[in-house]
Amino acid sequence: MTKGLALARLFYEAGHDVIGADFAPHGIPACGRYSRSLKRFYTLPKPTEEEGPTYYISALLQAVKKENVDLWVSCSGVASAVEDGQAKEVIERRSNCRAIQFDVATTGMLHEKDTFIEETQRLGLPVPETHNVTTRDAVHKVLHGTKKKQYIMKSVGVDDVVRGDLTLLPRRTLSETYNHVSRIPISNSKPWVLQRFIMGKEYLTHALIVEGRVKMFVACPSKDVLLHYVALPPESALNRAMLAFTKEFVARYGRSMTGHLSFDFLIDESVTEKGAELKLNPIECNPRCHTAVALFAGQGQEVADAYLSLLKSSMMNGNGHPPDEEIIVPRQPAKYYWIGHDVVMLLLFPILNVLRGQIRLVDWMRGCSEFMAHLLFWKDGTFEIWDPLPWWCLYHIYWPGQFLASIVYKRKWSRMNVSTTKMFVC
């Protein structure tokens, strides 16, 4: 994944020995294993529903002990965040290694949409109107009890099949609403949330939290599948507001938090007598490293020092608390894209739509212009001139292997995220 590769390069630039570890789905090697930034690489067994995370944690612990690792930085995907919380507790209990990872309880609470909203509300922070539902009757009760409100249903757990369904409810007619809700796999074992629809721009944040203090922070515009990263100016009002929310959440949580913390916000903008008023609505939390960490490229020493501060007890002041430090933000960050995504979405798909008569040729030319702007003035999220192999392997080994595996195992997919190497099954 881009985030792991980006962090490995930052630690390498700061002069540290970096040991990499990742899964190899269907035997297809992760592109990051070929990076010059890695001293060694370990292939880990992926947790399964049948065997759980036992073999994964055991292999990770074995690698930590063998390499005498001082700091483990978790870069888990959406499906293995809780398992990494378990791994953190085992590693810190059975070795001298420290972990940048929340514990199981904190990870589980932040990872699930319903418990995150409940905890945020308990902390006295603003949240959008949200209802936990486990039956279709409960869904209809909420929908019929409101006027002029619209909602989006989200699965509490990880479900690629329904993740992209952002249908607004209720539908235009009662019949359409009932038909849509009847197709949703909802039960006590598969709970959902009904969250009020907010017509506003979406943003994400990424923060490094070390012992209850925000060490790094970045915010940028977001979308459902994000492949273009542009950091907000640190001095902007919106960036400062989201940083303040992050700091307040960590402070009110009341436990010593150490890990990566990313929020998704919808911004509700309203006009008052005093002018435009912006309201932050936290809709989800990702208790794991985010791809946005790539925006810190070129700041290896600062970033490494922020992570390694977990190991330095000398950072404590006389009161037993770390002194106030300036939060690290991206300095003149590049704008990031992934060429594989842009070739398909800006060149290939549009030209097919031109041939089908669905769009005009001038629309395709606009896509070509945007592609050239990215190619000339933006930065690819995987490519580095001094470390080109991960980029080459991503497009010549990893993705061809994944497409072949999908054919062999008859696995249908609807879309893919080049930056996280994730295919959304359907």
Side-chain angles (χ1 to χ4, degrees), residues 326-338:
E326 184 176 351
I327 296 172
I328 299 170
V329 296
R331 288 185 280 105
Q332 299 180 335
K335 298 177 180 180
Y336 280 84
Y337 79 110
W338 279 259

Side-chain angles (χ1 to χ4, degrees), residues 210-225:
V210 176
E211 295 185 331
R213 301 183 72 84
V214 180
K215 293 285 187 175
M216 295 167 50
F217 183 83
V218 64
C220 57
S222 182
K223 59 191 300 186
D224 185 31
V225 178

